């Protein structure tokens, strides 16, 4: 081991009673650790949130949306086939999108509106992961449910087909599979009695529930077959939207551009040019906000590490002051200015590296704990284990360490000292790990606000490496002034320092 | 071996010039014990620091062999202190965080020519030589005053320097312990033939040296070599 590292390491773990430097060193290590752990945790949570939101969105959404200026496509099958020929297009499906008023059967009033998406199940599945999120039947014409529903209707009423309702829509309205709802597509004033309306009402039976975890879909959507939707609008063989899946979500803009360039609708002029939109544009405000939030968080996190670095600098400056006479002695023994400055640089690096290592382990550990889905032992169990263990450790420390240091090491005491030196930290680590395991649980969030119901965590290992390097260099920077200060002490004055 | 030529050392404090050394000329021969005696404030320690290259003179030169040590680059001066000079201070100045053997080994570790194990092994031998073989792993706070000074002497010897500079090595010890420490220094001088420059204000002790010099107000007032 080199002289500088040897001295630096010894100063760092100094346990002299009169020296408070070791405690400050410990606080410095703690500062860096907490800084790093916080950075890793916050960034991982933000990454996880962004990624899982993206995953959920993309599982429910197409990558590119193609519309016609005229509203509905007449030969949508032909258009779908043409779009499928465009490079990097994996699948395309026709859809009818609309917003309709909802009236559960038996209710006398309209209970809000829902977005109804008319889909071709097979084609929809090729573009989004629709079927994966359906609880119950995905068959809009489920014979059992249809025939049961038809029996509930009067002779004047007809059933248009099945509907898969957003899970929360059904919960809020108290609807279950097999219940009948009415969708009102058009209301016109009654010319004979203007205070009343003629309503275009269609009956649907709930065949399944859609639970994606995305608030938008679960709370405001219903799905019917494309044919039923066409029938609802009297738009046979027509669709008002074509959803496209690209080979990767990131190239959605490129694919949209290709579609605009290569596809022409009948009619020519502006009507002939497809209108395209992408998932990125649709959710741009959300992702931009998240990006901004990430940048702000990174700045705050960098400041946290900077504060930790200031802590290191002040620790080292105090260390230089406390060790002034030692520096004089070392210079008298022949240590060069460079060697003296290296002692304090090594010490800063040791604090930084130790802090970064502990912080990384802590940060990654917390990330895993936040991401674990298992049930945890109760807080009370944690407390009943921690208290006696902590008490025992405390008693052991106070009883065992005093005689070991104050007298010559005797064989038995040496063994005891080694046991306590290794055993107690290990025991503490186990206790702290257990406490964290009990206390740190997945965080539930309000899906109405955040779309997701649980905070997801995704560790970006490159970023973990980057933040470790960053903290290393910040800590190194923090050592420069104390190192310069120590190397410029005049040996004779340092020896006389009181 | 060491030749001090017209050394002046002046400090400026609060605008006042304090002339600590005023034209000192002195030689230290190889293997001799030279006592520099004088009252407090006479400039003894300053002279010792200048001989050891810890301080720089206002004017004058210190020759080690034929080389003026103040003509050395910083790195050469550090190497000179590490290899040729061994310091023993009045208040031992052992590093509190290091055990006796580690304190002794530091000088060898600084030189970088020995591994840590080799340095510690050498330290153990020296500590055994000064009678502290059972105190190797003790920290300075666990040692008596005499033991600490013995450790400090062993530390000064680690790189086998040609000159030992001792600044009132017994100034902080009782008479009995002082005797033991001084006997050790004389013993070492006999055994290793190193030059020993001893700062003291004790005239009886100065009488024991091969040669003694009296410093009064920064000047040598009398130089008297005791016939060997």
């Amino acid at each position: 081991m080199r002289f500088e590292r040897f001295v630096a390491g010894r100063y760092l773990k100094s346990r002299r009673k009169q020296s408070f430097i070791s405690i400050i060193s410990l606080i410095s290590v703690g500062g860096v650790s907490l800084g790093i752990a916080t950075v890793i945790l916050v960034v991982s949570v933000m990454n996880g949130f962004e990624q899982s939101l993206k995953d959920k969105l993309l599982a429910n959404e197409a990558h590119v949306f193609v519309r016609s200026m005229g509203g509905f496509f007449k030969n949508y099958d032909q258009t779908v086939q043409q779009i499928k020929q465009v490079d990097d297009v994996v699948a395309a499906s026709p859809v009818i999108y609309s917003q309709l008023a909802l009236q559960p059967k038996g209710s006398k009033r309209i209970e809000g509106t829902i977005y109804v998406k008319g889909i071709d199940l097979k084609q929809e599945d090729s573009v989004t992961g629709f079927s994966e999120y359906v609880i119950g039947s995905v068959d809009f014409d489920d014979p059992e449910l249809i025939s049961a529903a038809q029996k509930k209707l009067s002779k004047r009423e007809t059933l248009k087909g099945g509907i898969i309702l957003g899970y929360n829509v059904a919960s809020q309205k108290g609807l279950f599979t097999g219940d009948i709802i009415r969708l009102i597509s058009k209301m016109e004033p009654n010319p004979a009695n203007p205070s009343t309306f003629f309503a275009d009402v269609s009956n649907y039976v709930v065949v399944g529930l859609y639970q994606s975890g995305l608030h938008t879909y679960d709370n405001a959507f219903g799905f019917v077959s494309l044919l039923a939707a066409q029938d609802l609008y009297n738009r046979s063989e027509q669709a008002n939207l074509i959803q496209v899946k690209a080979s990767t979500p990131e190239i959605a803009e490129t694919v949209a551009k290709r579609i605009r360039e290569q596809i022409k609708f009948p009619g020519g002029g502006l009507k002939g040019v497809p209108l395209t939109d992408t998932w990125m544009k649709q959710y741009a405000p959300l992702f931009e906000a998240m990006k901004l939030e990430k940048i702000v968080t990174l700045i705050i996190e960098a400041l946290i590490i900077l504060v930790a670095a200031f802590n290191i600098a002040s620790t080292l400056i105090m260390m230089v002051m406390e060790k002034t006479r030692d520096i004089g002695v070392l210079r008298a023994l022949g240590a060069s200015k460079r060697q003296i400055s290296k002692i304090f640089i090594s010490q800063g690096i040791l604090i930084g590296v130790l802090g970064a290592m502990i912080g990384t382990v802590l940060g990654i550990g917390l990330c895993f704990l936040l991401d674990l889905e298992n049930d945890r032992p109760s807080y009370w169990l944690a407390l009943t284990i921690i208290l006696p263990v902590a008490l025992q450790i405390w008693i052991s420390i106070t009883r065992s360490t005093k005689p070991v240091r104050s007298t010559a090491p005797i064989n038995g005491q040496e063994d005891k000292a080694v046991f306590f030196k290794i055993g107690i930290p290990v025991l503490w680590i186990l206790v702290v790990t257990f406490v964290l395991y009990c206390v740190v649980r997945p965080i539930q969030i309000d899906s109405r606000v955040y779309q997701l119901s649980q905070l997801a965590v995704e560790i970006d290992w490159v970023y973990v490496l980057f933040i470790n390097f960053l903290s290393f260099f910040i800590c190194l920077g923090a050592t420069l002034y104390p190192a310069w200060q120590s190397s410029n002490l005049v040996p004779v004055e340092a020896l006389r320092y009181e | 071996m060491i030749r001090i030529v017209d050394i002046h050392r002046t400090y400026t404090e609060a605008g006042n010039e304090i002339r600590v050394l005023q034209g000192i000329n002195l030689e230290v021969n190889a293997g001799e014990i030279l006592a520099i005696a004088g009252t407090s404030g006479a400039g003894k320690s300053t002279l010792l620091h200048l001989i050891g290259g810890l301080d720089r003179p206002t004017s004058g030169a210190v020759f080690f062999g034929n080389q003026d040590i103040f003509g050395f680059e910083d790195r050469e001066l550090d190497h000179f202190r590490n290899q040729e000079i061994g310091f023993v201070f009045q208040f031992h100045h052992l590093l509190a965080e290091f055990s006796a053997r580690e304190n002794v080994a530091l000088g060898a570790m600084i030189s970088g020519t020995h591994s840590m194990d080799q340095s510690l092994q050498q330290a153990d031998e020296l500590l055994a030589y000064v009678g502290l073989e059972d105190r190797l792993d003790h920290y300075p706070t666990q040692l008596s005053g005499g033991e600490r000074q013995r450790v400090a002497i062993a530390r000064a010897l680690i790189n086998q320097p040609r000159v030992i500079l001792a600044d009132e090595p017994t100034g902080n010890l009782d008479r009995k312990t002082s005797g033991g420490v001084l006997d050790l220094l004389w013993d070492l001088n006999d055994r290793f033939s190193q030059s020993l420059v001893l700062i003291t204000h004790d005239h009886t002790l100065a009488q024991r040296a091969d040669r003694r010099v009296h410093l009064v107000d920064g000047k040598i007032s009398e130089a008297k070599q005791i016939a060997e």
Side-chain angles (χ1 to χ4, degrees):
Chain A
M1 193 192 295
R2 287 181 68 93
F3 156 75
E4 297 89 339
R5 280 207 301 272
F6 174 66
V7 177
R10 188 56 59 88
Y11 280 165
L12 192 67
K13 58 181 185 181
S14 155
R15 283 187 188 174
R16 282 195 304 147
K17 273 186 185 169
Q18 65 270 37
S19 167
F20 67 104
I21 290 295
S22 62
I23 299 164
I24 298 176
S25 310
L26 211 66
I27 293 170
S28 301
V29 171
V32 178
S33 303
L34 283 179
I36 299 265
T38 314
V39 173
I40 291 174
L41 188 66
V42 170
V43 171
S44 300
V45 166
M46 291 184 80
N47 277 342
F49 180 69
E50 188 179 340
Q51 195 55 49
S52 59
L53 188 64
K54 211 182 257 183
D55 289 347
K56 289 247 176 183
L57 282 176
L58 291 173
N60 289 277
E61 288 282 21
H63 301 158
V64 182
F65 308 93
V66 183
R67 288 187 176 85
S68 158
M69 203 164 266
F72 280 82
F73 301 92
K74 278 187 178 151
N75 298 313
Y76 66 81
D77 270 336
Q78 193 188 332
T79 312
V80 165
Q81 288 312 317
Q82 282 175 343
I83 289 173
K84 280 182 181 173
Q85 302 305 311
V86 173
D87 284 348
D88 289 315
V89 170
V90 175
S93 72
V95 164
I96 290 182
Y97 246 120
S98 56
Q99 193 173 11
L100 303 173
L102 181 144
Q103 183 185 24
K105 187 168 165 50
S107 173
K108 289 186 175 172
R109 56 193 180 90
I110 292 169
E111 294 193 5
T113 59
I114 57 168
Y115 291 98
V116 176
K117 195 173 169 186
I119 56 171
D120 179 298
L121 190 63
K122 202 175 163 190
Q123 293 190 83
E124 177 73 15
D125 274 346
S126 68
V127 174
T128 68
F130 177 77
S131 296
E132 288 172 39
Y133 300 102
V134 176
I135 303 167
S137 175
V138 286
D139 183 1
F140 292 112
D141 300 317
D142 189 298
E144 207 177 308
L145 289 167
I146 294 283
S147 68
Q150 270 166 344
K151 285 175 193 164
K152 292 180 193 169
L153 294 173
S154 66
K155 282 178 186 172
R156 287 192 300 152
E157 292 173 311
T158 53
L159 193 70
K160 290 272 183 185
I163 184 167
I164 294 171
L165 266 186
Y167 188 85
N168 294 341
V169 176
S171 310
Q172 285 156 16
K173 312 292 178 206
L175 296 166
F176 297 94
T177 308
D179 286 349
I180 295 168
I181 61 164
R182 285 177 175 150
L183 293 179
I184 300 157
S185 57
K186 201 160 66 178
M187 288 180 89
E188 285 173 354
N190 181 356
N193 182 3
S195 62
T196 58
F197 294 88
F198 280 131
D200 202 347
V201 179
S202 310
N203 293 309
Y204 291 87
V205 59
V206 179
V207 292
L209 301 175
Y210 186 73
Q211 190 178 29
S212 64
L214 267 182
H215 182 263
T216 313
Y217 284 89
D218 297 352
N219 279 54
F221 265 73
F223 302 85
V224 297
S225 72
L226 186 61
L227 285 173
Q230 286 167 344
D231 189 33
L232 191 68
Y233 284 99
N234 235 348
R235 294 277 186 171
S236 180
E237 299 289 320
Q238 290 182 41
N240 62 2
L241 177 75
I242 293 172
Q243 300 179 137
V244 179
K245 184 181 183 181
S247 52
T248 55
E250 287 71 27
I251 59 162
E253 288 295 343
T254 315
V255 170
K257 193 180 169 205
R258 282 181 197 148
I259 291 170
R260 284 199 303 275
E261 286 167 359
Q262 294 173 26
I263 307 295
K264 294 284 174 240
F265 295 138
L270 276 175
K271 277 192 173 183
V273 181
L275 300 173
T276 59
D277 201 355
T278 60
W279 70 276
M280 292 165 177
K281 275 188 187 164
Q282 279 200 345
Y283 292 98
L286 179 65
F287 286 108
E288 279 302 316
M290 282 167 71
K291 203 171 161 186
L292 184 69
E293 204 175 316
K294 214 171 178 177
I295 291 168
V296 173
T297 310
L298 281 181
I299 293 169
I300 294 168
E301 303 297 343
L303 287 176
I304 291 176
I305 295 178
L306 211 59
V307 170
F310 274 111
N311 198 6
I312 292 178
S314 63
T315 301
L316 292 180
I317 289 168
M318 275 195 279
M319 175 86 71
V320 171
M321 284 168 70
E322 207 204 54
K323 301 295 176 196
T324 298
R325 189 180 285 174
D326 283 12
I327 293 167
V329 173
L330 291 171
R331 291 300 311 273
L333 293 178
S336 63
K337 284 182 175 184
R338 198 183 164 87
Q339 281 176 311
I340 297 293
S341 62
K342 271 186 183 175
I343 290 174
F344 293 95
I345 290 175
S346 303
Q347 193 153 12
I349 289 174
L350 271 173
I351 291 173
V353 169
L354 205 62
M357 277 165 63
I358 296 171
T360 305
V361 171
L362 188 68
I364 291 171
L366 288 174
C367 287
F368 278 120
L369 287 176
L370 275 181
D371 213 23
L372 271 183
E373 300 224 350
N374 333 8
D375 286 338
R376 305 292 160 80
S378 77
Y379 295 115
W380 288 109
L381 179 66
L383 207 64
T384 51
I385 289 178
I386 296 156
L387 276 181
V389 171
L391 205 64
Q392 187 59 51
I393 290 170
W394 177 251
I395 291 166
S396 310
I397 289 170
T398 48
R399 279 192 182 167
S400 66
T401 49
K402 279 179 188 167
V404 174
R405 198 70 168 155
S406 60
T407 58
I410 303 164
N411 280 347
Q413 275 184 334
E414 230 172 66
D415 294 344
K416 206 175 172 186
V418 170
F419 168 75
F420 281 110
K421 209 172 172 183
I422 299 164
I424 295 213
V426 170
L427 207 58
W428 266 115
I429 289 168
L430 291 175
V431 170
V432 170
T433 309
F434 180 73
V435 172
L436 288 176
Y437 178 71
C438 293
V439 174
V440 183
R441 298 159 190 236
I443 298 169
Q444 304 301 321
I445 50 174
D446 188 348
S447 64
R448 285 172 298 178
V449 181
Y450 299 103
Q451 298 288 336
L452 306 169
S453 55
Q454 186 179 307
L455 257 189
V457 178
E458 188 171 299
I459 299 169
D460 182 346
W461 296 102
V462 176
Y463 189 78
V464 169
L465 207 65
F466 165 75
I467 206 72
N468 271 279
F469 272 115
L470 183 73
S471 100
F472 174 82
F473 286 111
I474 290 178
C475 292
L476 187 66
T479 66
L480 295 181
Y481 175 71
W484 174 82
Q485 186 195 22
S486 66
S487 66
N488 278 294
L489 284 173
V490 178
V492 175
E493 284 172 18
L495 281 169
R496 286 190 191 128
Y497 185 80
E498 293 293 334
Chain B
M1 186 170 56
I2 295 177
R3 196 156 46 90
I4 298 150
V5 182
D6 196 25
I7 282 280
H8 288 258
R9 184 67 173 102
T10 305
Y11 293 103
T12 307
E13 229 173 71
N16 298 322
E17 275 202 348
I18 302 163
R19 300 171 74 187
V20 182
L21 296 176
Q22 302 175 51
I24 302 286
N25 289 290
L26 189 66
E27 279 194 30
V28 181
N29 301 316
E32 77 166 343
I33 298 178
L34 171 69
I36 301 175
T39 53
S40 281
K44 307 185 295 289
S45 295
T46 305
L47 180 60
L48 197 82
H49 291 149
L50 286 168
I51 297 171
L54 278 178
D55 197 6
R56 285 183 182 271
T58 311
S59 66
V62 172
F63 288 94
F64 187 82
N66 292 322
Q67 285 183 298
D68 179 4
I69 63 168
F70 297 113
F72 287 161
E73 295 282 321
D74 277 353
R75 191 173 289 185
E76 289 170 325
L77 196 59
D78 295 331
H79 186 257
F80 162 74
R81 273 200 302 272
N82 182 247
Q83 293 297 312
E84 306 292 358
I85 305 289
F87 281 99
V88 180
F89 300 101
Q90 181 180 354
F91 296 102
H92 66 81
H93 287 341
L94 295 178
L95 274 58
E97 280 80 11
F98 298 84
S99 66
R101 65 202 294 256
E102 288 165 346
N103 260 292
V104 175
L106 280 173
M109 287 160 123
I110 288 169
S111 73
T113 49
H114 299 83
S115 71
M116 192 169 167
D117 284 343
Q118 285 172 328
S119 305
L120 287 171
Q121 201 181 336
Q122 240 176 302
D124 292 350
E125 286 166 17
L126 278 169
L127 283 168
Y129 181 73
V130 299
L132 294 174
E133 61 272 26
D134 56 345
R135 295 283 191 272
L136 301 179
D137 291 317
H138 282 59
Y139 286 79
T141 50
Q142 298 167 336
L143 298 169
S144 68
E147 287 172 335
R148 288 177 201 170
Q149 207 54 297
R150 282 166 183 269
V151 175
I153 291 168
R155 181 176 68 184
L157 294 171
I158 189 78
N159 288 328
Q160 297 162 356
R162 282 193 273 177
V163 182
I164 301 286
L165 303 176
D167 188 358
E168 303 207 34
T170 57
N172 203 32
L173 304 175
D174 59 56
R175 183 167 288 278
K176 194 179 165 197
T177 317
S178 298
V181 169
L182 290 171
D183 288 347
L184 176 66
L185 283 170
W186 255 259
D187 206 40
L188 289 167
N189 177 256
D190 268 354
R191 183 172 165 162
F192 300 114
S193 303
Q194 286 151 324
S195 305
L196 172 65
V197 179
L198 189 70
I199 297 282
T200 182
H201 59 265
D202 180 348
H203 286 278
T204 323
L205 171 60
Q207 291 291 345
R208 236 180 118 174
D210 299 338
R211 199 155 59 93
R212 68 178 187 276
V213 161
H214 286 278
L215 217 56
V216 179
D217 294 334
K219 292 177 185 165
I220 291 172
S221 70
E222 185 186 348
K224 189 175 178 185
Q225 190 167 358
I226 297 169
E228 289 181 25

